[in-house]
Amino acid sequence: MSETRRKLTTIFCADVQDYTRLMGADEEGTLASLKRCREAMGRLIESHGGRVINTWGDGLIADFPSVVEAVRAAVDTQNELAGFNARRPADGRMLFRIGINLGDVIVEGDDIYGDGVNIAARLQASAAAGGIVISSTVYDQVRNKVAVGFEFLGPLMVKNVDEGVPSYAVKIGDARDATPPVERSGPAPPQLQPQPAAVMAAAISEARPAPRGRRLYGVLAVIAAVLIGINLLSWQGVFWARFPVLALAVLAALAWNRDQTLFNRKITSLAIVALGIAGINLFTWTGQFWAMWPMLGIAAAMGLRWSMRR
């Protein structure tokens, strides 16, 4: 049998708002989106020193040795998923709710049990779609260490816990995470109802008449084709259009990087710049690969960026 012991840890719970409705509308598409979102969440959890303990249905539970890193992972997760959802139709967005609690738990094998886990799950259930709710034990540790705001929500009633658990909504940037009414042991202060970060990003996306990226790629392609045509029609033995076309290709790659969610954007930007420098070296080849020096510097910067991730 697995050894049973106890430990103090930070519990991170997440699930999808309206998952049943999403599955009813499009099972295969919802499962594909869930897999993509879970992969991104798992990557961020791991990068902040956490460990995914279990997944079930649309839910996920993880634990962290650091309270601060758990909250940072939650904020990074909601920010990254907001970008993913901003490009999806309004009725197909996959918005996660996250709850975080610091508590003593029972460890059995790879699983954890106890009131600490139950409280985290209850906090998650009380969060708004795209929002984060934390317990007071978490708040006490992170209030001066994480660059976000907090809104006191009052005591949250949890099954098998005699006293209400004071809880806080995490405000991501200027967007506050609204929280629906829940059972509380005392009167809660008046709450504003602003939109969570993911919903605000989606609303901005809806206001755009067409996908911004496609229009930009089309414009850049037309400009490149016109430049190549002018060069060929006025041919004097020099293909000068290769330089502006290379610059347009770099711009297109940077525009793609701005909207992608698969890789770290800052590291990918450095890689794009390095490839652009290599292209310039090849187009002006004189027998020396001088681009290796700036590329080495960029590679060092990429390595430092990766190693110093929060």
Side-chain angles (χ1 to χ4, degrees):
M1 295 182 63
S2 301
E3 180 184 1
T4 300
R5 58 188 176 86
R6 303 191 72 95
K7 72 174 182 179
L8 182 67
T9 191
T10 309
I11 307 102
F12 174 113
C13 284
D15 80 347
V16 180
Q17 175 79 13
D18 293 333
Y19 181 71
T20 302
R21 177 186 61 80
L22 293 171
M23 285 293 288
D26 180 10
E27 286 187 349
E28 294 184 357
T30 298
L31 287 174
S33 296
L34 178 62
K35 181 178 179 181
R36 181 175 177 183
C37 291
R38 272 189 178 160
E39 289 174 349
M41 190 180 299
R43 170 173 49 82
L44 290 169
I45 288 171
E46 183 178 359
S47 71
H48 286 277
R51 173 181 68 105
V52 176
I53 296 174
N54 202 353
T55 59
W56 68 95
D58 62 319
L60 177 147
I61 184 169
D63 71 346
F64 292 77
S66 167
V67 186
V68 172
E69 293 301 326
V71 175
R72 285 175 174 170
V75 172
D76 287 352
T77 293
Q78 295 294 30
N79 284 334
E80 182 157 330
L81 295 182
F84 169 76
N85 283 300
R87 298 186 295 276
R88 297 178 62 82
D91 60 352
R93 292 173 188 137
M94 184 159 287
L95 302 175
F96 278 78
R97 304 175 297 182
I98 297 176
I100 304 176
N101 178 48
L102 172 64
D104 191 270
V105 299
I106 299 172
V107 181
E108 187 171 344
D110 293 330
D111 290 328
I112 58 176
Y113 306 89
D115 288 339
V117 180
N118 296 336
I119 291 172
R122 189 67 183 87
L123 293 168
Q124 165 254 300
S126 71
I132 306 166
V133 173
I134 62 176
S135 65
S136 60
T137 55
V138 173
Y139 172 78
D140 291 340
Q141 299 296 320
V142 304
R143 58 183 176 180
N144 296 321
K145 299 174 184 176
V146 182
V148 294
F150 302 94
E151 180 180 6
F152 181 66
L153 301 177
L156 177 69
M157 299 307 298
V158 179
K159 185 178 180 180
N160 297 328
V161 177
D162 294 335
E163 298 180 358
V165 178
S167 57
Y168 295 79
V170 178
K171 303 175 186 176
I172 305 175
D174 294 330
R176 301 183 181 185
D177 296 326
T179 302
V182 294
E183 311 90 48
R184 305 188 187 278
S185 62
Q191 298 179 26
L192 299 175
Q193 298 296 329
Q195 297 295 326
V199 177
M200 290 187 68
I204 293 173
S205 176
E206 284 182 343
R208 298 179 184 134
R212 177 179 56 189
R214 293 180 182 177
R215 292 203 305 269
L216 178 60
Y217 301 149
V219 170
L220 293 177
V222 170
I223 294 174
V226 170
L227 290 172
I228 293 173
I230 293 174
N231 193 167
L232 295 176
L233 291 174
S234 60
W235 183 256
Q236 296 181 352
V238 179
F239 185 50
W240 53 261
R242 64 186 184 276
F243 294 108
V245 169
L246 175 62
L248 293 173
V250 171
L251 287 176
L254 291 173
W256 165 83
N257 184 53
R258 177 188 56 194
D259 296 327
Q260 62 90 16
T261 59
L262 296 176
F263 311 103
N264 182 287
R265 292 188 181 93
K266 292 186 178 180
I267 292 178
T268 308
S269 295
L270 292 173
I272 292 170
V273 172
L275 290 175
I277 293 173
I280 294 173
N281 193 168
L282 294 176
F283 286 161
T284 60
W285 184 255
T286 59
Q288 183 180 5
F289 187 51
W290 53 261
M292 63 181 177
W293 300 112
M295 291 178 69
L296 179 61
I298 291 175
M302 292 169 62
L304 288 173
R305 175 70 188 176
W306 177 84
S307 64
M308 297 177 65
R309 291 177 302 174
R310 292 184 305 175

